[in-house]
Amino acid sequence: MNLLKRMAWATRRSNFLPSAKCAANHSSAGCRAIPLQSGLVWLLLACWLWSVPVAAQDSIPVKKRKVGLVLSGGGAKGFAHIGVLKVLEEAGVEVSFIGGTSMGAIVGGLYASGYNARQIDSIFHDTDFDALLQDFVPRSSKSFYGKRNDELYALSLPFNKFRIGIPAALSKGLYNYNLLVKLTRHVRYERDFNKLPIPFLCIATDIESGAEVVLDKGYLPQALLASGAFPSLFAPVDLNGKWLIDGGVTNNYPIEHVRNLGADIIIGVDVQDALSKRDSLRDATRILVQISNMEMMQAMERKSGETDIYIKPDIGKYGVISFDDGKEIITKGEEASFAVYEKIKSIVANNGIYVKKPLSITADTLQIDAVTVNKLQNYTRAYILGKLNFRPGARITFDQLKNGMDNLSATQNFSSISYSLEPGGDGGDHLMLTLVEEPVKTYLKFALHYDNLYKTAALTNITQKNLLFKNDVASFDLILGDNIRYNFDYYVDNGFYFSFGLKSRYTRFTRNVQTELSQGFLQNDIGVSSINIEFQDLSNQAYVQTVFVQKFLLGAGVELKHLWINSPTLQATTPTFDRSNYLSLFGYLKFDNFDDRYFPTKGSYAAFDWQTYLRSSDYTNRFNEFTIFKGDVGFATTFWKQLTLRLQSEAGFRVGPDSVPFFDFILGGYGFATVNNIRPFYGYDFLSVAGNSYIKAGGTVDWEFYKKNHLNFSANAAIIADDLYKRSDWFSDQKITGYALGYGLETILGPIEVKYSWSPERRQNFLWFSVGFWF
C-alpha cells in the first residue's frame, strides 16, 4: 500500500475514533467523538508509524542475479562470440562466469583474463590465421642448415620401419600457443581459473578414453590450446598425462558446468553447424565437423531449452576455417544479440549497469632466472639453449621467447613443444620447457628442377637423425637427370658451442661457351667460335662452426677437391683442361634474415668467405698457392603495398701469384645452384665472362600482383678483369650491364620462373626458364 492510500485511510478513520475513556469502558454511552483537530494528531502519528516499515522495506538491496556465459566451439565461426560480447558490454551486462569450448574457450578465456570485447576484436583482426593454421615458422628462426633443407625439398615424408607415413596434423599448434602465452602474460602465475577476473572453465576431450575433460586449473594457454585442438588441423595436446583434443567432440556447449559455478542466468551463444546436405560437404574440414556434430545436435536441443537467453547467429554459410570472413561473422554475432536485446536489458534492469574497462598491459619483457628442460634422449641441454638463443639470466621480450620456440620447432626434432612461466626469484620468471622428441628419425624427401645449365633433375633424399651422436643429422641427395649429381651432409649441432660437420658434393654439367672466355677454361688459338665444356667437381669438406653474437654463423674448415674440365669438341687436340686435386683451407661469416629465399619482402643477408689453396696434384703445371676472398650483401624492403625493392652487391678477388684460372669468377645466366665461383648475371649467357677479380651491383623491383604471382624487373652491372684491384684506375675499366623482365609463381615444387634478359653491349637476348627449388 503506497503512502497516499495510507494517509487517506488514516484520515477517514480519524473522524470516528472513540476517546480513550470510552474505549476503556467498552461503551459508547455518554461518549462523544474526538474533534477533527485531535484527529490530525492521530493522522500524523499514523503516518509516522506507517513510514517506518516502508523505509525499512525500501532499504533492502535487490539480490543480483549472477550471469553465466556459455560459448560454443565452431572454429572461425566463433568470431561471432566477439560480436555478442560487444553488445553485452553496450547493454551494461556484467558476466560472472564463463565456460567455453574450442574457439569459445579462446574468446572466453581472453575475456575472463581481463580483456574487453573491443580489445579481443583488435587481437583477432591482427592475427595472421594463415600462419596460425600452417604453424608458420619464420625463415629467420631456422639455422643455415635448416634454411637449405626447407628450400630444397618439395615433399617430405616420415619413413619408419620401411613404411611411409603422414603427419598427425597440419599444425603442431605452436604458433597459436606462443600467441596465447603472450596475450595472457598478465595472469601467467594464476593456476586456478576460478581466481581469474572472471571465473572460467573450458572443455577438452581425452582422445584415448573419449571422455570429456573439464579444465579449470593449470596454465591457461595450455588449457585453451587443448580445448581448441581441432582434429587433423592441430595436433593433440599432452596435458596432465592425458592426450587432449578439441572439446567439441564431447561437449560443445558446457551449460551444466557454468550453472554449477553458481550462475543464476545463462546466456548461451551457439555457433555450431546444423547438419549439412551433401552439396555442402565438399572439403575435409566440413566432413569432420559434420561427424562431430551428429551427437552434439541432439544434446543441443535439450541444452538450448535450458538456456535463459539463447543466441544463434546466422552463420551457416561460413566454415570453421573462414577466417578471412571474420569481420562479417562478428557482425552476425552483433545482429543475433540485438534480436534478443530486450531480454539482455532485463538483466541490467535488475543488476544495474556494469562497465568493463579495457585491460592495461605495459610490461612486455621477462627476466628469465632459470630454464628447466625435461630429460631428453637424443639432444643435450646445450643444444636446446643454443636454439632458444638466450640463456638463464637474460632479459628478453615475449617476441624473443616466441623466436626461441620457433627455433626449436624449425629443427623438426620435436613432435611437441610446450612451456610455462613460473614465478622465479626477485620478480623474475622460471621457464619450464617440456619437449617430446619426434619418434620418427628417418625421412624421405623429393624435389624436381629444371634450368638452362643443369637441365632436368629429379632429387631423392634420405635424412637420418641421431645416426651416430646426439644432436646429429645425416642427409644424402641423389640427383638424376641430364647431369647426375649428389650431396652428402653430416652435421652435429651443439648449440652455443662449436658444432662440426662433413660434406661431400659432386657437381656436373655440360655447356657450349664462347671461346672469348680466354681468362678461364679456354684458349684463343683453337680455331672455333664456341666449344662444349664438360665440368665435374667433387668436393669433400670437414668444418667447425658456431653462432657468433647470436646472429652470425662463423666457421672454418678444410677441403679436398677434385676438378675435371674437358671438352669433347677438342678430341683431336688437347681435350682436358684440368684434372687435378686441390687441398685448401676456408673460412666464412654469414648472416641471413630474409623472410624468403626466392621472393624476399624484407630482411638482409651478408656472406664473407676466404679460401686458401695450399696444394695441388697440378695437372697443368701452373699451380701456385693463392687465396680467394669474396663477399655478398643484400637487403629487401616492401615500400608500397606488394611492391618490393631488393638490392645486392658482391665482389671478389684473388691474392697471390699467377696460378690456375679454374677458380676465377665467371658470370652469366640465371636460375641455377652456384658452384665454386660461377655466379649469375642478367644479360649474358652462362659462363660468358671471367676474371680473377670483380665487383657487381644489382637490383630488382618485384610486384606480387596476385597471391604468389610476381612480376619483376631486374638490372645489374659489373666490372670483371684480372688483378682488378691492383690498379688505381680499375673503376674506368669496361663495365658490363644487363637487364631482365620476369614472371614468377610460388608453388609446392618451388618457384617457377621465366625471364627475358638482354644486354646493350652485346645486343643479345636470352629466355631463361627455372622450375622448382634450386639444387
Side-chain angles (χ1 to χ4, degrees):
M1 184 181 297
N2 61 39
L3 183 60
L4 290 175
K5 289 183 178 179
R6 291 171 183 169
M7 290 176 66
W9 180 79
T11 303
R12 287 195 302 270
R13 289 195 62 192
S14 66
N15 294 320
F16 301 102
L17 285 175
S19 66
K21 181 178 178 181
C22 293
N25 295 330
H26 299 280
S27 172
S28 60
C31 294
R32 59 183 179 86
I34 299 175
L36 182 60
Q37 291 81 356
S38 300
L40 288 174
V41 176
W42 284 99
L43 174 62
L44 293 174
L45 178 62
C47 288
W48 177 79
L49 291 173
W50 279 94
S51 66
V52 172
V54 168
Q57 196 173 39
D58 290 343
S59 66
I60 299 175
V62 177
K63 181 183 178 181
K64 284 188 175 182
R65 293 181 291 176
K66 293 181 183 278
V67 177
L69 183 62
V70 180
L71 304 177
S72 79
K77 294 180 295 180
F79 280 147
H81 296 318
I82 301 172
V84 173
L85 289 173
K86 283 184 175 182
V87 174
L88 293 180
E89 287 186 3
E90 180 181 325
V93 174
E94 180 180 5
V95 177
S96 302
F97 309 103
I98 301 177
T101 299
S102 195
M103 183 62 84
I106 294 172
V107 174
L110 294 177
Y111 197 74
S113 75
Y115 292 100
N116 68 11
R118 296 197 176 277
Q119 286 178 307
I120 297 175
D121 190 359
S122 297
I123 289 169
F124 277 73
H125 276 107
D126 292 340
T127 300
D128 185 344
F129 284 94
D130 286 338
L132 188 149
L133 290 173
Q134 298 170 11
D135 214 10
F136 174 72
V137 175
R139 186 174 182 268
S140 59
S141 292
K142 301 171 185 176
S143 66
F144 284 86
Y145 184 90
K147 288 184 177 76
R148 175 190 176 276
N149 279 272
D150 289 349
E151 296 161 349
L152 193 63
Y153 307 112
L155 178 64
S156 178
L157 297 173
F159 185 72
N160 189 23
K161 297 179 180 179
F162 297 99
R163 295 181 179 178
I164 296 177
I166 58 174
L170 179 65
S171 167
K172 295 177 183 176
L174 184 62
Y175 187 97
N176 193 10
Y177 188 67
N178 286 329
L179 180 61
L180 291 172
V181 168
K182 181 177 181 179
L183 291 174
T184 61
R185 60 189 182 271
H186 55 291
V187 292
R188 64 183 181 271
Y189 300 145
E190 187 56 72
R191 296 297 179 264
D192 185 350
F193 301 166
N194 284 317
K195 295 181 181 178
L196 292 173
I198 300 176
F200 170 76
L201 62 83
C202 60
I203 306 298
T205 301
D206 187 334
I207 193 173
E208 292 181 291
S209 67
E212 170 191 327
V213 178
V214 178
L215 300 173
D216 56 5
K217 290 181 174 59
Y219 191 52
L220 183 59
Q222 289 176 338
L224 300 181
L225 187 71
S227 183
F230 188 88
S232 78
L233 287 182
F234 298 105
V237 176
D238 190 350
L239 184 60
N240 301 327
K242 297 177 180 179
W243 219 28
L244 303 181
I245 62 170
D246 196 308
V249 176
T250 51
N251 189 350
N252 205 30
Y253 192 82
I255 183 173
E256 61 275 33
H257 299 295
V258 176
R259 281 212 184 274
N260 290 338
L261 288 175
D264 301 310
I265 299 174
I266 295 292
I267 300 175
V269 188
D270 180 8
V271 296
Q272 299 175 89
D273 276 325
L275 294 180
S276 302
K277 301 298 182 182
R278 68 178 70 182
D279 292 341
S280 301
L281 302 175
R282 296 300 186 187
D283 60 68
T285 54
R286 287 184 180 272
I287 292 173
L288 285 170
V289 170
Q290 180 90 332
I291 295 171
S292 175
N293 280 351
M294 288 179 180
E295 290 188 19
M296 299 307 300
M297 292 306 297
Q298 295 180 350
M300 274 308 302
E301 291 182 11
R302 172 180 56 83
K303 292 183 176 183
S304 62
E306 298 173 357
T307 305
D308 299 291
I309 302 177
Y310 179 67
I311 302 174
K312 179 72 174 176
D314 181 15
I315 49 178
K317 70 176 184 179
Y318 305 102
V320 295
I321 56 173
S322 299
F323 294 105
D324 291 338
D325 300 313
K327 188 174 182 180
E328 296 177 16
I329 298 173
I330 291 173
T331 301
K332 293 292 185 181
E334 295 180 42
E335 292 172 355
S337 301
F338 281 120
V340 293
Y341 196 68
E342 292 304 317
K343 291 183 179 180
I344 292 172
K345 290 296 290 183
S346 68
I347 299 174
V348 179
N350 181 78
N351 291 356
I353 295 176
Y354 173 76
V355 178
K356 186 174 175 67
K357 296 181 180 179
L359 179 67
S360 177
I361 302 179
T362 55
D364 189 35
T365 59
L366 295 166
Q367 177 68 41
I368 302 297
D369 292 340
V371 178
T372 298
V373 184
N374 61 301
K375 186 176 181 181
L376 300 172
Q377 181 178 353
N378 297 303
Y379 300 96
T380 62
R381 175 179 169 84
Y383 174 85
I384 302 302
L385 292 178
K387 295 303 174 187
L388 288 176
N389 223 5
F390 57 81
R391 303 190 188 195
R395 178 169 288 279
I396 63 171
T397 65
F398 276 88
D399 284 341
Q400 287 176 296
L401 177 64
K402 172 188 176 297
N403 292 340
M405 299 305 159
D406 285 341
N407 295 344
L408 285 171
S409 180
T411 66
Q412 300 179 2
N413 293 330
F414 306 100
S415 60
S416 174
I417 300 173
S418 184
Y419 60 96
S420 63
L421 296 168
E422 308 291 342
D426 298 327
D429 286 88
H430 184 174
L431 176 61
M432 304 288 291
L433 185 58
T434 303
L435 305 173
V436 178
E437 296 182 53
E438 175 59 58
V440 178
K441 304 300 180 185
T442 307
Y443 294 85
L444 293 179
K445 304 179 182 182
F446 307 92
L448 297 172
H449 183 73
Y450 173 84
D451 63 55
N452 295 87
L453 182 62
Y454 294 109
K455 305 299 183 182
T456 58
L459 181 153
T460 300
N461 167 274
I462 183 168
T463 297
Q464 177 66 50
K465 298 182 178 182
N466 310 128
L467 180 64
L468 300 176
F469 303 103
K470 291 184 176 183
N471 313 338
D472 77 354
V473 57
S475 173
F476 179 77
D477 299 328
L478 178 62
I479 303 167
L480 302 176
D482 290 305
N483 294 282
I484 297 176
R485 294 172 282 154
Y486 81 78
N487 295 302
F488 172 77
D489 281 285
Y490 177 77
Y491 183 55
V492 181
D493 190 341
N494 291 319
F496 281 118
Y497 302 106
F498 274 97
S499 305
F500 66 89
L502 302 171
K503 288 185 180 181
S504 180
R505 177 180 181 182
Y506 173 69
T507 302
R508 179 183 182 275
F509 63 80
T510 58
R511 183 73 186 180
N512 279 318
V513 298
Q514 302 293 319
T515 55
E516 64 187 63
L517 188 61
S518 56
Q519 303 100 321
F521 308 145
L522 309 181
Q523 303 172 1
N524 287 324
D525 57 356
I526 60 178
V528 293
S529 61
S530 67
I531 64 172
N532 185 267
I533 289 291
E534 184 175 348
F535 177 92
Q536 297 182 60
D537 181 300
L538 175 61
S539 300
N540 300 286
Q541 296 180 345
Y543 63 94
V544 294
Q545 65 183 27
T546 188
V547 177
F548 177 63
V549 296
Q550 300 182 356
K551 293 181 179 180
F552 293 89
L553 187 68
L554 177 66
V558 58
E559 178 185 79
L560 178 62
K561 180 189 293 289
H562 176 75
L563 195 63
W564 183 53
I565 305 171
N566 78 325
S567 173
T569 310
L570 304 177
Q571 290 298 330
T573 56
T574 306
T576 301
F577 297 100
D578 193 19
R579 199 169 188 170
S580 303
N581 298 317
Y582 296 91
L583 177 67
S584 63
L585 299 176
F586 64 88
Y588 51 85
L589 180 65
K590 298 180 180 180
F591 169 80
D592 183 0
N593 72 348
F594 269 164
D595 60 345
D596 185 84
R597 175 185 177 186
Y598 299 99
F599 301 103
T601 60
K602 62 181 179 180
S604 58
Y605 81 92
F608 303 97
D609 301 80
W610 64 264
Q611 191 159 7
T612 299
Y613 292 88
L614 302 171
R615 296 286 185 271
S616 172
S617 59
D618 201 8
Y619 175 84
T620 63
N621 294 316
R622 297 176 57 186
F623 176 80
N624 290 297
E625 181 179 322
F626 65 95
T627 300
I628 295 287
F629 292 94
K630 55 188 175 182
D632 186 6
V633 297
F635 84 96
T637 182
T638 299
F639 59 90
W640 182 73
K641 294 184 178 179
Q642 301 301 314
L643 207 61
T644 298
L645 173 66
R646 302 197 298 268
L647 297 178
Q648 183 220 10
S649 179
E650 56 184 279
F653 59 93
R654 185 180 69 186
V655 175
D658 288 340
S659 188
V660 294
F662 309 118
F663 297 98
D664 284 357
F665 300 96
I666 305 173
L667 304 183
Y670 175 80
F672 62 97
T674 60
V675 58
N676 294 343
N677 296 315
I678 300 174
R679 306 290 297 170
F681 191 84
Y682 300 118
Y684 284 71
D685 200 2
F686 295 90
L687 311 177
S688 287
V689 188
N692 65 22
S693 53
Y694 83 114
I695 183 170
K696 170 190 167 185
T700 296
V701 177
D702 183 274
W703 176 37
E704 188 176 6
F705 64 93
Y706 186 70
K707 191 174 183 180
K708 300 185 182 301
N709 287 263
H710 300 259
L711 289 176
N712 44 61
F713 172 75
S714 303
N716 53 199
I719 302 174
I720 183 166
D722 282 343
D723 303 322
L724 184 66
Y725 298 107
K726 290 183 179 180
R727 306 194 306 270
S728 60
D729 61 342
W730 62 269
F731 194 74
S732 63
D733 282 17
Q734 183 177 1
K735 304 176 184 64
I736 60 173
T737 59
Y739 306 89
L741 285 173
Y743 166 76
L745 174 65
E746 300 177 64
T747 74
I748 59 173
L749 295 176
I752 297 176
E753 294 184 273
V754 56
K755 285 188 179 291
Y756 175 76
S757 173
W758 72 94
S759 172
E761 298 91 39
R762 292 200 171 185
R763 300 185 182 277
Q764 291 180 316
N765 54 74
F766 304 94
L767 190 63
W768 295 327
F769 292 94
S770 176
V771 178
F773 297 114
W774 298 1
F775 53 80

